[in-house]
Amino acid sequence: MSCLTRSFQTLVLSTIPVNISSPKILGTVRYMAKYVEKPEIGRGKSFRRIVHFPEEYTVKPLGVTNLAGRDPNSGRVVVKGIGGGIKHKYHWIEWKREGPSEGAPQIERVMKVIKDGCRTAFVALVAYNDKLKYILATENMKAGDIIRTSSYIPRIPVRPNEGDAYPLGALPIGTQVNCIEKYPGFGGTLVHAAGTYATILRKAPDDHIVVMMPSKREFSLPAICMCTVGRISNVEHSSTPIGSAQRNRELGNRPRSGLWQRKKGIHGRKIRRPPPVQTIARKDKGNTEIVTFSCDRPLIPTKFHQFHY
Amino acid sequence: MKRTPVLLRQHIGRYAVAHWRVQGKKKIIETGAEQILKKKNIPIYEATDLVRHPPVAFDETHPDWHDKPILSCKDDNVLLEGLSQAKILTNTVELKEGLPDSIALKDIPKQINNRVQNIILGSWLFDAEQKKLPIVKDPERPAWNFPRTYGVTRNRVCKLLTARLLQLIETTCGRNDLVSDRYLINDLLFSYPFERQSDLIQFQLSGDTVVTTINSSVKKSHPHTIFTRFNREEVKNLYEEEVTVPQIYGRSLLKAFTVCASYAKNQYGDEVKLLPKPVTVQAVQTDGCFFHFGVFQLNTLDLENGDVKNVWYQTPLLNLFERCCYDLGRPTLEGYNSEVVKHLYAFYHSV
């Protein structure tokens, strides 16, 4: 039928002189799919929720917008299996534990340990000077505890208590630490999950400290990187089963296809040697500007009036 | 193709446009107001000139901008550390546990206890107010949404309970001389700004019901007891965790202090530090179920000097009852505690 219309149209148009401004006959419309660039997953962008951060730090729990696996710009589904669940407010954690670089450490007090719905670990409300902040709670942290923060690296390692924040270089070898800064002054980015900890292994040349991550990988980090002493709270999290399909939905996960199978003995065992120690240094990314070229006319020779976005 | 069949379909957007096309044209009715105003020499402005102000920026250019912030404690907030922090802020000590000896608790007859129970039922269950009550959540089953209930709001319960209990006490205390001196004032706002260790602090707190009495020496009305309500929906921590018991105690103390301090300032002038005569106020805080009783004696307004201190007496939280609700459609009141009413009588009798 559309072929017939099109042939009629060409027939009619061919008989009409071009310079006469008569109403155009609308032929068949081609609905073109619009090309949308989807963001890459695993690049530090969350498709579970957006947190509405205010300009200044606050301990007031923040509002969130749940994304259900969609990219907020294009609106397309990027991650499958996310959606629904109980909406939780977000506790804004102060990742930077900054203390005095000389003299006595800053003293802080744990006011309350709070269960946070947006992460696996518990969150501790901490009061210092005349301010309040949230930090990730360690295993045995409780209300009323006094914790210390210092950026000073003494010649002899300090004897730290759980929850204290010191530079990696100030702590004795074998200490369990969490919430480690990857780059100095960047805020703690490594080891955030419930029940996890990293271990300080040895000193490395060039003022670096080798730390074993929960994944058993070894990172060589600058000695001035801050970290919190102890193991992250909610240790039972990994051994607690979700319990039911409904509970999984409450956590904001959608049903799985059921096709995934865990590898068994028949798949064999691959023994690899551990990867070598990775030295972390901030890379100079150089010029990251991306130029986008545009095209004035459609690449396919299609009649203009046939386009219908 | 004919367009008629397609347009016959109902389409709210098209209807709205058509409606707007007709109703968008309005004729302005001449009321003659302008002529009357002109006759009386009242200046006339264009309404839009007055309404459309550019938004005032809330920064250094604002006329009310101050470089030093004032730390303000209002009715919807509580102190982080509660009672201990309130004591330090107001230079107060607690000499002993419980109320001062001058407040004597007396047994009350059964008849009055029955009337109090009727008052509780009347305020909690029988009031005609039907408003949306706050959302109920079960921490064990966070996904479960309870049906939204309507009923008497907590503020209304507190207001009714205090008013009715006070009325009962006034009619049954048997001291006409006392009752004729006492006055009830509702929704008073007290404010006391001060400087402490170079911090500007201000308490802006309300006494929801204030009982005043006439002082025999001054022949002037002064605050006697403040009744304040505590509504968990309104009074919150900044970090939105539940308000703890010490924080409730601290709230009572701050309220009593603010009332005393603002009265002392009014009485002895702005510059007074050591009061010639202490000011004492009794404080009662309730959420409709628990009652907290405290007595505050203000000796000094010099809050940094530790030589002379203010005094605070208090009771623990006392529950008026354990349960008051409809049980299978029948109004029930369980675990009524007459201690609360004893305290209220004692507070009213104290001179």
Side-chain angles (χ1 to χ4, degrees), chain A residues 5-50:
Chain A
T5 324
R6 208 178 293 146
S7 58
F8 266 122
Q9 191 185 341
T10 45
L11 195 77
V12 172
L13 282 174
S14 60
T15 53
I16 299 170
V18 183
N19 52 359
I20 290 178
S21 57
S22 63
K24 270 186 180 175
I25 300 160
L26 192 71
T28 50
V29 169
R30 272 179 69 182
Y31 285 93
M32 296 276 291
K34 207 168 152 187
Y35 175 71
V36 177
E37 203 160 319
K38 281 198 226 171
E40 271 183 283
I41 55 168
R43 297 273 169 185
K45 215 178 152 193
S46 166
F47 298 104
R48 195 174 275 278
R49 60 178 80 83
I50 308 174

Side-chain angles (χ1 to χ4, degrees), chain A residues 68-271:
Chain A
R70 281 166 179 80
D71 171 39
N73 295 328
S74 61
R76 306 300 161 99
V77 174
V78 183
V79 186
K80 284 179 185 176
I82 295 180
I86 300 166
K87 199 165 190 170
H88 297 283
K89 287 197 169 181
Y90 184 83
H91 294 94
W92 187 356
I93 286 176
E94 179 67 296
W95 297 114
K96 283 185 193 171
R97 291 280 297 267
E98 282 163 349
S101 53
E102 267 182 16
Q106 176 179 291
I107 298 217
E108 300 165 357
R109 186 167 177 199
V110 179
M111 303 309 298
K112 195 164 190 191
V113 177
I114 300 165
K115 198 175 180 324
D116 182 19
C118 294
R119 62 179 71 250
T120 53
F122 298 143
V123 165
L125 178 74
V126 171
Y128 64 105
N129 298 338
D130 57 346
K131 294 188 187 79
L132 288 172
K133 68 176 177 185
Y134 291 117
I135 60 166
L136 288 186
T138 51
E139 192 183 355
N140 302 313
M141 202 177 262
K142 58 184 187 304
D145 281 0
I146 301 289
I147 51 175
R148 290 174 177 78
T149 308
S150 171
S151 301
Y152 174 59
I153 305 180
R155 200 170 57 81
I156 305 163
V158 293
R159 187 179 285 178
N161 289 324
E162 202 185 287
D164 294 357
Y166 288 105
L168 281 170
L171 295 170
I173 283 164
T175 316
Q176 291 183 353
V177 290
N178 65 69
C179 204
I180 310 163
E181 281 184 345
K182 203 170 171 188
Y183 311 110
F186 196 69
T189 44
L190 302 169
V191 193
H192 283 174
T196 53
Y197 60 90
T199 318
I200 296 178
L201 292 184
R202 58 182 177 275
K203 296 203 172 185
D206 215 13
D207 263 352
H208 273 56
I209 306 285
V210 179
V211 177
M212 185 167 74
M213 291 290 118
S215 63
K216 312 297 172 209
R217 281 193 65 173
E218 289 175 10
F219 286 168
S220 175
L221 296 161
I224 52 170
C225 281
M226 294 291 289
C227 65
T228 311
V229 178
R231 191 178 178 189
I232 295 262
S233 52
N234 199 6
V235 180
E236 304 83 49
H237 173 77
S238 60
S239 57
T240 313
I242 289 174
S244 67
Q246 189 52 41
R247 175 81 189 110
N248 201 15
R249 297 303 299 265
E250 284 170 15
L251 295 172
N253 303 322
R254 300 197 55 230
R256 279 173 280 195
S257 67
L259 297 173
W260 185 85
Q261 300 271 319
R262 180 163 289 284
K263 278 188 178 179
K264 289 179 287 187
I266 52 156
H267 296 93
R269 189 162 83 113
K270 178 101 178 171
I271 299 171

